[in-house]
Amino acid sequence: MTAMADGGLAEAGERPRAALRYRVEGMDCPSCAGKIETAVGRVEGTEDIRVNYGTQVLAFRLDEAATPRAAVEERVRNLGYGIAPVEAPRVVPGEAGMAAEDQKRGSARRPWWRGTKARLAAAIGALAAAGFATSLAAPSLDHWAYLPAALLGLAFFSRKAVAAARAGSPFSIEMLMSIATVGAILIGATSEAAVVVLLFTVGELLEGVAAGRARAGIEALGALVPRTALRVGGDGTAREVPAASLEVGDLVLVRPGDRVSADGEVVEGASEVDESPVTGESVPVPKAEGAPVFAGSVNASGALQVRVSRPASDNTIARIVRLVEEAQEAKAPTARFIERFSAVYTPIAVAAAALVAVAPPLLLGADWGTWVYRGLALLLVACPCALVLSTPAAIASGLAVGARRGLLVKGGGALEAIGRVRAVAFDKTGTLTEGRPRVTDVLVLSGSERTVLGLAAAAENGSSHPLGRAILERAEADGIPLRPAKDARAIPGKAVEAVVTGKRVTVGSPSHAADQAALPGDAERAVAGWEDQGKTVVVVSVDGAPTGLVAVRDEPRADAAAGIRALGAMGVRSVMLTGDNPRTGRAIAGALGLDVKAGLLPADKLREIGALKEKAPVAMVGDGINDAPALAAASVGVAMGGGTDVALETADAALLNGRVLDVAALVGLSRATLANIHQNVAIALGLKAVFLVTTVVGVTGLWPAVLADTGATVLVTLNALRLLGYRFKGVAAHG
C-alpha cells in the first residue's frame, strides 16, 4: 500500500512524519469516528489525527520509524472497518464472512439491503420470529426459543465491543449492548435479549443508510462539471479533451446549451449564462468579452470562447466540494447520549452487581445463593434495555409524524439538533421564493394590456429564457392566443426580436429600448420604481416605438411571510443569505420582514453561517448547489423539496412540500421529540433507581426485577407512541 507523504520535518531535529490519508469504510454513526480516533491515537508515533465522518477519511501524521503504517491499518481493521489509501479502490470490512463479496462490489455501490448489517438484522428478525412461534406452540421452550437470536446478535456486537475495548474504548455502545444481552440471558430473559439486539441492529442499519445518502451529495457535486471540454488549438480548431486536462491559459469553446467546463474569462462572444447552480442568481447573467464565468454554469444563447483561469482541481465546483468536506469535518463527532451516559453508568452498574453478589458472602459469611441471586437481579435492574430504547423510540415516533406532513429528517441526531436552533438562515431563490419569475406588472403605453402581452409572447415563443417563459405563462393564463412570428433572433444580453403580423416586435431591456426611442416620463418612473422593488423590467416595442412595459420578479412563496412570523413566535431569528443582487434581496426581505445579506458566493455564505454559529445553533434552509457548503456547515441543514439533488443529499432534513411554514413545524416537532426523550430517560432511570434499592435490601427479587425492567420498557414505548398524536400548533392553519 502507498499513501501520500510530505516527508517534511515538523521541527528541526525531529524525525520525518508521513502525512497519511485513508478512506475508512463502515462508519455507520459519528461515534465510529471517535473510536477510530482513539484507537489510532494509542499507536506510537501518530499525531494530528483527524477523522472526517462525512467523507470517511482518516488523516494523521506517522513516524514510520516507530510504527509501520501497516500496523495502523491493522488496528483499524480489527475494529471492524475497511481501510485503504485514498488513491486506492474502496474496500469494506470483512465481517461475518462477507469480505470477499463486498470487496468485489464496493460498499459505496452496493444497495443497503445487501450489506452486512441488513443481512444480520434479517437473520436476527427471522430467529426472533421463529422463537416467538415456538414459545406459543411450546411454552416450556420459551427460554431456548429466543436464545439463537440473542446469541447471534451478541456474537456480532461483542466481537466489536472487545476490539474497541482493546483499542481504548471499553464502554462503547456495543459493550453496553453486549452486557445488557448477557445479563438478560443469565437471568433467563432471552426474549428481551433477542428484541433488544434486533432493535439495536435495525437502528445501526438505518444510520448507515442515512450516512450513505449524505455522502452521495458530495459525489453529486462533481457531476455538475462536464467530463469533456472543447479546447481551441493554435489553428482555431476545437477538439474534445478531458475537462480535467485543461490548464491555466487554455482556450475553450462553450456552445449554447453547454455547461462551462472551467473557471475562466470570456475572450470572444456574447451570451447569457445561467449561474444559479453556483451563485444562486435567479436570472441569467449577460456575458461579454472580459466577463468571468464559473465551472458548472450553463451557457444559454451565444457561443463563447473562454480562457481558463483555474485548473480543474481548483475550479468553482471543486472548491464547493472542499467546502462541504471541510464543513463536515468541522462538525466534531459527538457521542450519542447513551454512549456518554454508559461511560459512567455501565461500569458502575456492573461493578455494583458484582459487589452485591460476592461481597456479603466473602466479608460477612452470608449465604452465597441468596446474594448471587440478588446480584443477578441487580444486573437485570441495571440492564439498560429501557434506557437504550428511550431515545430511538421517541425518535422513531417523531420521524413518523414528520413524514406524514412531508418533513423528511435524516436521522435522530438531526431531529434533535433542529429543536435547539436559535437562528434560521434562508436562501432566497427557490426557498423563500417560488424559484421562477412571474409577470407582476404591465404598463400600457399604446393599445391594451392584452395587445402588449400578446406581442411580447409571440416574440418570446420558443424562448428558454426565464423572463420569456414568465411572459408566455402569463399570456396562456390570460387566454391570449399566440400570433405567428418569423425571423426571430436573440440579441444576447439585450433583447429578442421577431416579425409579428408584418411588424418587428422587440422585447428588450430598458437601456436597449432607449437606444431605439426615448421612453416617456411615466415609463421611466415606472422602470425606476419597479427596479427598486427588485423586479426585472422589459420594454415591448413595435417598429422601434415602445408600446408597453412588463415587470417580472421571482415572487415570495405564498406562505413565506407566515413562516417567518411563526419562527419569530418561537423565539427563532430569521435571516436571508442570497447570491442575488442586493436590490432584489432587500426588496424580498423587506416584504417578508427579515434581515438580509446579499451578493454572496458559496464561501461568503459559509462565513456568515460560521458567524451565526458562534452565537447560537443555526439552521440553513436552501435548495441550490451553491447552498451545499452552508447546509453542511450549519448546525442542521434543511433542503426545500423542490431543490436540487445535491442540496437534498447534503442537508440533514428536507421539506418535501416546499413550504416555508414547515421550517417552523420542524422546529416544533423537534422540541416535542426532545421533551419526550427527556421524559423517557426519567422513566427508565427513575424505575431502576427505585428497584435498585429494593433489590439490594431484599424487598424485591428476580421476578420483580424482570417486571421492573420490562415495565420501564413498556412505559417508555407507550410514552414514545404518544408522540404520534402530535399536532402542529400554530402552523396547521397555514399548512
Side-chain angles (χ1 to χ4, degrees):
M1 287 188 178
T2 60
M4 295 187 299
D6 61 4
L9 296 178
E11 294 181 7
E14 288 189 0
R15 289 185 299 193
R17 294 178 183 268
L20 305 177
R21 287 172 59 84
Y22 287 97
R23 190 175 304 281
V24 179
E25 297 285 357
M27 287 194 285
D28 293 335
C29 60
S31 64
C32 297
K35 296 172 191 172
I36 294 170
E37 185 173 356
T38 300
V40 175
R42 290 168 63 91
V43 176
E44 182 182 357
T46 58
E47 65 178 20
D48 192 22
I49 303 161
R50 303 182 308 279
V51 183
N52 188 330
Y53 165 66
T55 58
Q56 300 188 100
V57 171
L58 163 65
F60 60 96
R61 297 171 65 85
L62 176 66
D63 177 4
E64 295 190 83
T67 303
R69 64 185 68 181
V72 181
E73 296 167 4
E74 187 63 25
R75 176 68 64 93
V76 176
R77 289 194 189 95
N78 288 339
L79 292 175
Y81 303 103
I83 181 171
V86 291
E87 302 90 349
R90 292 191 171 195
V91 298
V92 296
E95 291 184 341
M98 302 173 185
E101 177 186 349
D102 286 352
Q103 289 177 5
K104 290 178 182 178
R105 298 183 58 86
S107 64
R109 299 177 179 84
R110 202 165 23 88
W112 64 267
W113 60 86
R114 299 190 64 179
T116 303
K117 290 284 179 66
R119 283 179 273 188
L120 177 65
I124 295 175
L127 290 174
F132 177 71
T134 302
S135 66
L136 290 180
S140 61
L141 298 178
D142 180 78
H143 172 77
W144 302 103
Y146 289 99
L147 194 57
L151 290 178
L152 176 59
L154 179 62
F156 183 86
F157 292 112
S158 63
R159 186 156 54 93
K160 298 187 72 174
V162 171
R166 290 177 175 175
S169 300
F171 298 113
S172 62
I173 195 166
E174 287 84 7
M175 181 67 75
L176 185 74
M177 290 302 305
S178 298
I179 293 176
T181 304
V182 169
I185 291 174
L186 288 177
I187 54 81
T190 53
S191 60
E192 185 176 85
V195 171
V196 168
V197 296
L198 173 61
L199 292 178
F200 181 71
T201 306
V202 171
E204 293 279 293
L205 172 64
L206 294 178
E207 285 184 347
V209 172
R213 288 181 59 83
R215 292 174 187 128
I218 299 177
E219 297 175 2
L221 286 170
L224 291 173
V225 179
R227 295 180 180 274
T228 61
L230 293 174
R231 182 164 57 195
V232 180
D235 58 356
T237 303
R239 294 182 176 85
E240 188 173 76
V241 300
S245 69
L246 294 176
E247 299 178 354
V248 175
D250 283 349
L251 196 64
V252 296
L253 173 65
V254 185
R255 299 168 300 188
D258 286 351
R259 283 191 180 272
V260 179
S261 55
D263 284 7
E265 180 180 296
V266 177
V267 297
E268 184 179 318
S271 182
E272 291 183 319
V273 175
D274 178 9
E275 295 183 343
S276 58
V278 181
T279 68
E281 178 71 45
S282 56
V283 176
V285 179
K287 298 290 182 180
E289 186 175 341
V293 291
F294 304 114
S297 54
V298 182
N299 186 21
S301 49
L304 298 174
Q305 287 196 22
V306 176
R307 189 170 304 282
V308 177
S309 61
R310 285 194 179 95
S313 60
D314 195 41
N315 65 33
T316 301
I317 298 301
R319 293 198 306 275
I320 290 178
V321 170
R322 285 199 296 272
L323 287 171
V324 172
E325 292 179 348
E326 290 169 3
Q328 291 179 335
E329 189 174 61
K331 289 182 177 179
T334 56
R336 290 173 290 184
F337 172 79
I338 295 300
E339 282 191 283
R340 294 198 306 268
F341 188 81
S342 68
V344 176
Y345 175 84
T346 305
I348 292 178
V350 174
L355 192 63
V356 166
V358 302
L362 288 177
L363 300 178
L364 303 176
D367 179 66
W368 277 96
T370 299
W371 287 99
V372 169
Y373 179 87
R374 291 182 182 181
L376 288 175
L378 183 59
L379 185 62
L380 181 59
V381 171
C383 179
C385 301
L387 187 61
V388 169
L389 292 175
S390 60
T391 299
I395 292 295
S397 295
L399 295 178
V401 172
R404 289 204 300 261
R405 189 184 168 91
L407 311 179
L408 176 64
V409 184
K410 299 178 182 179
L415 185 59
E416 292 182 24
I418 293 167
R420 300 188 177 101
V421 301
R422 291 298 176 266
V424 176
F426 289 93
D427 174 51
K428 180 184 76 68
T429 305
T431 300
L432 289 173
T433 65
E434 294 288 350
R436 67 173 186 265
R438 297 180 182 275
V439 173
T440 59
D441 305 273
V442 178
L443 176 63
V444 178
L445 302 178
S446 175
S448 66
E449 180 175 308
R450 289 180 63 86
T451 300
V452 171
L453 287 172
L455 291 171
E460 293 281 7
N461 190 23
S463 171
S464 60
H465 194 288
L467 299 182
R469 291 199 301 269
I471 292 173
L472 288 165
E473 289 175 3
R474 173 63 179 271
E476 181 180 0
D478 289 356
I480 301 173
L482 279 177
R483 305 178 188 182
K486 61 181 181 178
D487 297 335
R489 72 185 185 99
I491 305 174
K494 296 182 178 180
V496 295
E497 291 183 350
V499 176
V500 183
T501 62
K503 298 179 180 181
R504 178 154 294 279
V505 176
T506 304
V507 182
S509 66
S511 60
H512 179 73
D515 291 340
Q516 311 301 315
L519 294 177
D522 57 342
E524 291 184 344
R525 288 190 292 273
V527 169
W530 288 342
E531 288 184 343
D532 285 342
Q533 298 172 22
K535 300 175 182 178
T536 300
V537 183
V538 295
V539 179
V540 183
S541 302
V542 178
D543 290 335
T547 61
L549 275 64
V550 179
V552 177
R553 187 173 75 174
D554 183 13
E555 290 292 275
R557 294 180 184 268
D559 70 330
I564 300 302
R565 289 195 301 271
L567 285 170
M570 302 172 78
V572 179
R573 175 196 171 202
S574 298
V575 61
M576 178 197 295
L577 304 180
T578 178
D580 219 334
N581 63 79
R583 182 184 61 198
T584 301
R586 287 193 299 269
I588 297 295
L592 298 179
L594 74 167
D595 300 330
V596 61
K597 297 287 182 68
L600 304 178
L601 290 174
D604 300 322
K605 289 188 177 183
L606 192 60
R607 186 182 61 252
E608 295 293 338
I609 289 293
L612 290 171
K613 279 184 70 175
E614 289 180 358
K615 301 176 183 177
V618 60
M620 174 68 194
V621 185
D623 77 316
I625 305 305
N626 59 300
D627 299 321
L631 288 169
S635 305
V636 59
V638 182
M640 298 299 281
T644 64
D645 290 340
V646 173
L648 291 173
E649 295 291 354
T650 305
D652 301 300
L655 311 180
L656 300 185
N657 295 320
R659 295 183 294 215
V660 179
L661 266 166
D662 281 347
V663 179
L666 199 55
V667 173
L669 175 61
S670 174
R671 292 180 178 180
T673 304
L674 285 171
N676 195 278
I677 290 172
H678 297 157
Q679 294 162 6
N680 285 347
V681 171
I683 292 171
L685 294 182
L687 279 176
K688 291 185 182 301
V690 171
F691 278 86
L692 184 147
V693 174
T694 58
T695 299
V696 171
V697 299
V699 175
T700 55
L702 194 59
W703 285 112
V706 172
L707 293 176
D709 186 65
T710 305
T713 303
V714 170
L715 289 176
V716 163
T717 303
L718 291 177
N719 190 53
L721 292 176
R722 186 175 57 84
L723 192 59
L724 293 174
Y726 175 77
R727 295 290 179 265
F728 293 90
K729 300 177 182 178
V731 297
H734 303 279

